[in-house]
Amino acid sequence: MPELPEVEAIARTLRPLVRGQTIRRCQVLHSIAVRPQSPAELRRGAEGQRIEGVERRGKYLLWRLGRGCLLMHFKLDGQLIWFDKPETQGHIDVALQLNAGTLGFVDRRHFGRVRWRAHPDESPEIRALGVDPISPRFTPAQLQALLSAARRPVKLLLMDQTRIAGLGNIYSNEVLWHARLDPRRRADRLTSREARRLHKAIVNVLRRALKYCLHPAPNFRDPAWWFQGLEKILRVYGREGEACRRCAGRIRRIEQGGRTSYFCPGCQR
Ligand SMILES: [Zn+2]
């Protein structure tokens, strides 16, 4: 699932490709992808609009249009595929026909969503988001305040988009491994030293992943590409039973809040 680094890489790569172009046609081929809006609502909002910019908000991709915006959320398997011709062949959920080609929003599992909103920064999805962890506004003091106010396990706080926007399950696991913290620790019980370590881990893990996502840059023309090979930078996620890369302990897997946590009981305390 694309998290902050992946969506940021998509936004930065897509921006120069589409900025200044007009959405000539917006075809909704699978209406589930635009729910709860109607295909007509999305079409009315998007067609004929000039693309002013592409940005990221949390894990959302935000297309600023002449009037209003498009919000895309990739969820588990959503992806963007670029076609040089007007294209609606194969599985495409929403096809945006631009001057230079067609961009398809594709999600065979149909969890991903595309939505039109009249006021980008006033839309409920965006207003609900917490601080962006790669913005300068995300300081150790701010993280400390978030931790102090949360009685939940620290892993669940990290994944709460209304507190910190953009961290998902994979990078939360990675961050806690780098910070040497047990995901089950209660957030408000971390010491200030641990909180500073956690802040540093969040920023470093996301920056490193973003760099990796941009080199090489996303290739929207190759449907098989979509962030393949990213597991190379992961230290703990998906490694149950394997040796910890730091202390050679065994990586454990547990369930937390309906999601899977991986950690090393040997060095994450
Ligand atoms: Zn370890």
Side-chain angles (χ1 to χ4, degrees):
M1 179 204 294
E3 300 183 21
L4 183 151
E6 290 85 359
V7 182
E8 180 69 26
I10 293 168
R12 290 190 193 182
T13 311
L14 203 54
R15 198 176 299 146
L17 296 177
V18 301
R19 191 162 48 193
Q21 294 198 47
T22 300
I23 301 175
R24 293 157 74 166
R25 250 189 114 186
C26 170
Q27 284 172 281
V28 179
L29 300 141
H30 292 265
S31 64
I32 186 170
V34 306
R35 267 186 214 163
Q37 286 187 331
S38 69
E41 203 175 340
L42 185 78
R43 209 166 49 230
R44 258 199 319 273
E47 275 186 358
Q49 293 296 317
R50 190 183 129 99
I51 300 163
E52 306 289 353
V54 183
E55 300 162 17
R56 179 192 55 81
R57 292 283 187 280
K59 291 188 261 183
Y60 284 95
L61 189 69
L62 185 157
W63 299 59
R64 279 188 191 280
L65 306 178
R67 194 174 60 90
C69 72
L70 285 181
L71 288 177
M72 291 182 176
H73 199 300
F74 300 99
K75 296 285 178 168
L76 295 175
D77 280 331
Q79 64 178 117
L80 285 175
I81 302 176
W82 182 275
F83 304 93
D84 287 321
K85 293 181 189 138
E87 185 67 67
T88 52
Q89 302 295 309
H91 186 108
I92 301 174
D93 294 282
V94 178
L96 298 176
Q97 196 184 316
L98 313 177
N99 310 67
T102 299
L103 203 59
F105 182 89
V106 175
D107 186 356
R108 288 169 200 282
R109 289 168 75 180
H110 292 136
F111 292 114
R113 290 291 179 269
V114 182
R115 202 160 282 169
W116 182 81
R117 293 287 185 198
H119 306 288
D121 298 303
E122 296 303 313
S123 62
E125 298 89 345
I126 303 303
R127 284 176 62 109
L129 295 175
V131 65
D132 193 291
I134 61 166
S135 80
R137 290 196 307 117
F138 182 63
T139 60
Q142 189 174 21
L143 178 63
Q144 179 72 72
L146 290 171
L147 290 166
S148 304
R151 299 166 58 120
R152 309 177 259 180
V154 59
K155 165 90 178 326
L156 299 187
L157 173 73
L158 293 184
M159 290 179 56
D160 183 345
Q161 301 302 301
T162 69
R163 298 295 184 268
I164 301 172
L167 272 177
N169 195 35
I170 294 176
Y171 291 116
S172 297
N173 278 299
E174 293 298 307
V175 159
L176 289 166
W177 184 86
H178 282 276
R180 304 194 307 278
L181 293 170
D182 187 315
R184 298 168 295 184
R185 287 279 300 280
R186 240 177 77 166
D188 60 350
R189 297 216 175 132
L190 298 193
T191 66
S192 53
R193 213 169 136 196
E194 289 171 330
R196 281 197 302 275
R197 222 159 66 204
L198 181 59
H199 179 270
K200 199 172 153 198
I202 293 172
V203 173
N204 288 345
V205 163
L206 292 176
R207 288 220 178 118
R208 207 175 309 135
L210 174 58
K211 211 167 148 190
Y212 199 84
C213 288
L214 287 167
H215 300 96
N219 179 4
F220 303 109
R221 284 187 161 80
D222 176 8
W225 159 78
W226 201 250
F227 302 108
Q228 294 300 313
L230 213 61
E231 58 281 356
K232 270 182 284 191
I233 61 168
L234 304 180
R235 290 290 170 269
V236 72
Y237 181 83
R239 301 190 64 240
E240 184 191 15
E242 292 178 37
C244 172
R245 297 247 161 98
R246 191 165 42 215
C247 75
R250 289 261 161 256
I251 303 296
R252 262 189 76 189
R253 171 197 158 120
I254 56 169
E255 294 293 315
Q256 282 187 294
R259 304 300 299 274
T260 309
S261 297
Y262 297 89
F263 71 105
C264 172
C267 61
Q268 287 179 254
R269 302 293 173 95

